[in-house]
């Protein structure tokens, strides 16, 4: 379970998050929506401990990652994974090495089993036989899928997706959404998906949270957000200006 | 409204200490990352190859010319005043203690330092460093420590090559163009030779190895913006590396001589 309590974050005096409270249940898929630049990616980076909040606490299965030491934070991250907006594949490593990096470092499995696991992960994202390719040889959609394979390689309990469909054509974006939904059924991880694309939110979100002016403005099911009477939410849902 | 010179100087001073503080934090993180041996042990040899072996051709070329110039300059200044076999003495001291380590460190600042800053800077802006951390890998241990270890080990090794090739270059020039016999050149070289000359150069090389890997790592890790940011980080890394080498050169010389 992920609990975010009273989180504030600012950069060089500019407030980005000003008192975010959010709970994500174990195995749930929570989609966080909001306008570009409202702090969605910052929220994900706070959850995985890449950034520290100015105030507040973030509990991962009851452990406050804001206050743990670096070694403990690394231990906690072994249970988590993040899909970055630009895929963030290591460009000096092959696809196979990208997917296997954490496995080789943390799993202690024999090399044969690691290779099997990498093959399985690449098969899950329909990229069999691409292990020898370098990231520069992949299309945008393939990069995202390799990044997903890398994210699920360690069998994480919590997966964070940062704008999984941004920059992709509609067909590839739909493939990625279907893939994420399919993976959720297979690995049953707690997922937090950040997007500004409402169609993505409706398709994969069990609950949707809307981030606005540094706070969570709304949390509810896809049906509830569609029928919300809140003017700001109505404008966002209908695609108008806020 | 423009800022007064005092305000500008104050701003620059604040930025300087801000950077110094951040560099201190990076140093402490790198120091702590040394204990994470399993993360970086398999990367050290690759970095030693990149920083050491692949730098050898340019270091060899630089050393030959540095040795040749040192010989011509020294013979020119000594001619008609003191016996020319002192050329060997002067060139030896110069290459072992000063010109060899500093020139090699400058060359590596450009070749290795720029490469480290650009690589890490690109990784920073494309979130590859964040990705490493998110996969529970200590980015300092994975990216910085192997480079620092390779720099500390390989720079002294390169300096040994620099010394040998520089002396060979200066000997050839002394014989072929300065009219000094081989016997006189080596007599001069041995006359005032102290083992400390070579050891001092190697001590400098060790610290220069730290500098040409740590400073660019710092700029790489603190890169912001896009391609322009990477370019800025690379330029700053090379400039600060070269300045730091000169400052360190003075400090180490003042301590060991």
């Amino acid at each position: 379970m992920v609990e975010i309590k009273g989180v504030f974050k600012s950069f060089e005096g500019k407030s980005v998050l000003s008192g975010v409270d959010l709970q994500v249940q174990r195995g749930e898929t929570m989609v966080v929506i909001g306008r570009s630049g409202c702090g969605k990616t910052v929220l994900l980076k706070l959850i995985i401990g890449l950034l520290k909040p100015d105030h507040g606490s973030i509990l991962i299965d009851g452990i406050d990652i804001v206050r743990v030491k670096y070694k403990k934070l690394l231990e906690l991250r072994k249970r988590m994974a993040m899909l970055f907006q630009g895929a963030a594949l290591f460009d000096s490593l092959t696809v196979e090495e990208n997917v296997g990096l954490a496995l080789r470092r943390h799993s202690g499995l024999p090399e044969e089993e690691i290779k099997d696991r990498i093959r399985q992960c690449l098969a899950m994202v329909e990229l069999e036989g691409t292990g020898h390719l370098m990231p520069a040889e992949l299309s945008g959609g393939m990069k995202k899928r390799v990044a997903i394979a890398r994210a699920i390689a360690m069998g994480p309990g919590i997966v964070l997706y940062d704008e999984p469909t941004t920059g992709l054509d509609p067909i590839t974006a739909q493939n990625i959404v279907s893939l994420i939904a399919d993976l959720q059924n297979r690995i049953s991880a707690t997922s937090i998906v950040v997007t500004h694309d409402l169609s993505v939110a409706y398709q994969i979100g069990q609950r949707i949270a809307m981030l606005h002016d540094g706070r969570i403005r709304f949390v509810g099911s896809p049906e509830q957000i569609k029928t919300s009477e809140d003017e700001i939410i109505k404008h966002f849902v209908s695609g108008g200006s806020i | 409204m423009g800022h007064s010179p005092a305000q500008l100087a104050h701003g620059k001073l604040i930025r300087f200490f801000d950077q110094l503080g951040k560099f201190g934090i990076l140093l402490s993180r790198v120091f702590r990352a040394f204990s994470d041996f399993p993360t970086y042990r398999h990367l050290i040899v690759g970095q030693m190859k990149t920083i050491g072996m692949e730098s050898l051709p340019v270091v060899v070329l630089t050393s030959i010319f540095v040795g040749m110039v040192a010989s011509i300059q020294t013979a020119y200044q000594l001619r008609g005043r003191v016996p020319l076999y002192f050329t060997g003495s002067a060139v030896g001291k110069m290459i072992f203690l000063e010109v060899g380590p500093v020139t090699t460190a400058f060359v590596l600042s450009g070749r290795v330092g720029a490469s480290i800053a650009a690589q890490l800077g690109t990784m920073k802006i494309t979130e590859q460093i964040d990705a490493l951390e998110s996969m529970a890998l200590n980015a300092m241990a994975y990216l910085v420590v192997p480079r620092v270890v390779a720099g500390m080990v390989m720079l002294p090794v390169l300096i040994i090559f620099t010394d040998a090739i520089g002396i060979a270059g200066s000997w050839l020039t002394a014989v072929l163009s300065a009219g000094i016999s081989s016997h006189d050149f080596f007599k001069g070289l041995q006359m005032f030779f102290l083992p400390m000359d070579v050891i001092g150069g190697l001590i400098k090389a060790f610290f220069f190895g730290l500098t040409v890997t740590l400073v660019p790592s710092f700029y790489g890790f603190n890169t912001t913006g896009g391609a322009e940011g990477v370019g800025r980080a690379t330029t700053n890394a090379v400039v600060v590396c070269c300045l730091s080498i000169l400052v360190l050169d003075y400090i180490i010389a003042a301590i060991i001589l």
Side-chain angles (χ1 to χ4, degrees):
Chain A
M1 184 162 129
V2 180
E3 287 177 90
I4 300 159
K5 292 181 179 173
V7 164
F8 287 75
K9 182 68 186 172
S10 59
F11 294 96
E12 294 172 2
K14 186 175 178 287
S15 175
V16 177
L17 301 179
S18 44
V20 171
D21 293 287
L22 187 66
Q23 276 196 5
V24 185
Q25 302 301 323
R26 188 183 292 270
E28 181 184 23
T29 301
M30 169 72 80
V31 177
V32 180
I33 59 169
R35 293 183 68 182
S36 297
C38 73
K40 302 187 296 292
T41 300
V42 170
L43 186 63
L44 287 191
K45 289 190 174 180
L46 288 166
I47 293 169
I48 203 163
L50 293 171
L51 294 172
K52 288 233 180 251
D54 302 331
H55 300 286
S57 55
I58 296 164
L59 306 176
I60 305 293
D61 295 331
I63 301 167
D64 188 352
I65 64 153
V66 178
R67 280 154 193 92
V68 295
K69 294 207 165 157
Y70 183 64
K71 275 194 175 175
K72 179 70 182 169
L73 179 63
L74 290 183
E75 284 300 315
L76 282 168
R77 282 181 185 154
K78 288 179 189 170
R79 292 190 244 157
M80 305 165 82
M82 182 163 171
L83 174 73
F84 289 83
Q85 192 172 341
L89 297 180
F90 306 119
D91 45 24
S92 58
L93 303 182
T94 63
V95 165
E96 194 266 358
E97 288 166 336
N98 263 281
V99 178
L101 186 62
L103 281 169
R104 291 197 167 97
R105 175 68 187 86
H106 302 307
S107 70
L109 293 170
E111 185 60 21
E112 266 317 300
E113 282 185 45
I114 288 173
K115 284 189 171 162
D116 278 346
R117 178 79 188 140
I118 294 167
R119 272 193 290 270
Q120 285 168 19
C121 291
L122 286 174
M124 274 193 211
V125 296
E126 298 169 7
L127 282 176
E128 300 97 327
T130 59
H132 63 287
L133 296 177
M134 298 302 287
E137 298 173 272
L138 305 176
S139 68
M142 287 168 85
K143 281 181 187 168
K144 288 262 174 160
R145 283 190 279 159
V146 173
I148 291 172
R150 185 176 71 179
I152 59 172
M154 286 283 287
I158 298 167
V159 187
L160 312 175
Y161 298 90
D162 185 11
E163 303 278 8
T165 57
T166 297
L168 301 177
D169 65 82
I171 294 167
T172 311
Q174 186 52 49
N175 288 342
I176 295 288
V177 170
S178 306
L179 179 63
I180 292 171
D182 184 41
L183 282 173
Q184 283 315 114
N185 293 332
R186 289 204 223 180
I187 64 175
S188 309
T190 306
S191 298
I192 303 175
V193 184
V194 148
T195 184
H196 58 260
D197 185 339
L198 276 170
S199 68
V200 173
Y202 294 149
Q203 285 180 77
I204 55 178
Q206 289 167 340
R207 282 197 301 157
I208 297 174
M210 182 170 168
L211 190 60
H212 180 73
D213 278 349
R215 286 166 176 265
I216 296 294
R217 178 98 187 178
F218 168 91
V219 184
S221 68
E223 299 339 318
Q224 284 171 320
I225 199 168
K226 285 177 193 168
T227 54
S228 171
E229 290 302 313
D230 185 317
E231 280 303 312
I232 287 170
I233 294 165
K234 274 166 76 178
H235 271 104
F236 187 82
V237 170
S238 64
S241 60
I242 299 167
Chain B
M1 211 170 84
H3 294 285
S4 70
Q7 282 173 319
L8 286 173
H10 179 257
K12 280 192 185 299
L13 204 64
I14 296 283
R15 270 197 297 279
F16 172 74
F17 281 110
D18 177 55
Q19 294 282 298
L20 208 60
K22 284 180 180 166
F23 187 69
I25 291 167
L26 178 118
L27 269 184
S28 81
R29 287 182 63 196
V30 171
F31 185 71
R32 274 179 282 153
F34 267 89
S35 64
D36 196 357
F37 188 61
T39 298
Y40 65 84
R41 67 179 167 198
H42 62 289
L43 301 167
I44 293 175
V45 173
Q47 287 300 328
M48 285 166 87
K49 184 172 164 276
T50 307
I51 292 174
M53 297 297 288
E54 290 175 13
S55 299
L56 201 55
V58 70
V59 167
V60 166
L61 208 62
T62 313
S63 310
I64 289 175
F65 283 102
V66 163
M68 288 160 77
V69 169
S71 198
I72 289 177
Q73 287 277 354
T74 310
Y76 165 73
Q77 288 178 46
L78 298 184
R79 195 178 300 280
R81 294 177 181 85
V82 286
L84 281 180
Y85 59 78
F86 281 113
T87 301
S89 314
V91 163
K93 295 273 178 199
M94 205 189 301
I95 288 177
F96 292 141
L97 261 174
E98 184 61 34
V99 181
V102 172
T103 312
T104 305
F106 273 10
V107 169
L108 262 74
S109 294
R111 210 198 81 81
V112 174
S115 159
I116 291 175
Q119 276 175 23
L120 299 187
T122 305
M123 288 187 78
K124 175 78 192 315
I125 61 166
T126 55
E127 295 184 307
Q128 290 177 56
I129 293 178
D130 281 348
L132 265 181
E133 285 282 341
S134 74
M135 292 162 73
L137 282 151
N138 181 339
M140 288 291 160
Y142 191 83
L143 296 172
V144 181
V145 175
R147 287 171 167 85
V148 170
V149 171
M152 289 189 305
V153 173
M154 293 314 285
L155 220 92
V157 173
L158 287 172
I159 296 296
I160 292 169
F161 279 96
T162 303
D163 289 351
I165 294 160
I167 292 295
S170 62
W171 163 67
L172 271 178
T173 312
V175 172
L176 296 178
S177 76
I180 303 166
S181 71
S182 292
H183 175 266
D184 279 354
F185 180 84
F186 286 109
K187 180 178 141 192
L189 186 66
Q190 288 169 39
M191 195 177 283
F192 297 106
F193 176 79
L194 294 170
M196 192 57 202
D197 297 344
V198 176
I199 294 167
L202 293 179
I203 292 171
K204 284 183 180 181
F206 174 83
F207 286 101
F208 293 166
L210 268 175
T211 307
V212 299
T213 48
L214 271 175
V215 171
S217 297
F218 168 73
Y219 281 101
F221 264 74
N222 287 287
T223 302
T224 52
E228 197 184 332
V230 175
R232 203 181 315 116
T234 308
T235 308
N236 287 342
V238 175
V239 170
V240 174
C241 253
C242 291
L243 288 173
S244 306
I245 284 160
L246 291 175
V247 173
L248 266 177
D249 186 41
Y250 166 72
I251 294 170
I252 297 168
I255 292 169
I256 65 173
L257 296 181

